[in-house]
Amino acid sequence: MKNKSIIFFDIDGTLLNHDKELPISTKESIFKLKDLGHEVAIATGRAPFMFEDLRRELDINTFVSYNGQYVMLKGEVLYTNPLNISSLEKLTEAALHNNHPVVFMDHEDMKANVPEHVYIKESIDTLKIGKFPAHDPHYYKGRELYQSLLFCPEGEEKQYEQEFLDFDFVRWHPVSVDVLPKGGSKAKGIEKIVEKLGIPPERQYAFGDGLNDMEMLTTIRNSVVMGNGEEKVKSVAKYITKSVEEDGILHGLQLVGLL
């Protein structure tokens, strides 16, 4: 297809509403895009194992996960950017000392360094994925990890930001922070996919709502922020659509002329 475009969708607050439900209009819009010959992809902070059902439901096998650290193109691994394990080991020791739990995450699973903790339950509960990390304090050994979760109240991550310069710390919950390789982002992961497919900037689109979408929405020329998105995010996007609940994806795709 000569004028094939690629459209990247964030998941939480973009494809899925507050109750983690996929609106019917969103699902229909995705399949219409595919029928028109466009490439549809996901760009999320989630781990691959946290959106398998959604990928199956939408028949999507190209995605940027872990905010750009684990990228798949048409079912094949295209790019990975793992955490520095020795730095992660030191971070975990410091966090243990501060009674801040850590969860280790690779492309298949996640394990916690403590048997249980109220912060882990409180934050993971909000994802509604029906899965909690089992206890394995040595899960980081001998494998590539693409993200960790550090559990601490707002503001307490500052001490780690100052000490562990290999990492970026992105808060996603009042008691939880994503720990990512320094400089990694959805935008970097997207770059790998569009380069491989040879789709020019004017035919690249991205939909998002949160702070971890900022770089993606400033990099992609045709950027759309959801009506339920954060104000700071709305300020960087080219278009603002309606909220998820108000058929925001359908409206946004019509707004940019794709549907």
Side-chain angles (χ1 to χ4, degrees), residues 69 81 83 161 164-169 180-184 188:
Q69 318 320 311
N81 183 30
L83 292 162
E161 288 173 358
F164 297 97
L165 304 179
D166 287 347
F167 303 138
D168 282 333
F169 297 83
L180 297 161
K182 190 77 178 174
K188 293 256 172 66

Side-chain angles (χ1 to χ4, degrees), residues 11-13 15-23 46 125-129:
I11 294 179
D12 300 287
L15 288 177
L16 301 184
N17 65 19
H18 182 69
D19 296 316
K20 307 302 176 192
E21 296 161 340
L22 179 72
R46 287 188 181 215
D125 255 347
T126 64
L127 296 172
K128 300 191 176 181
I129 53 172

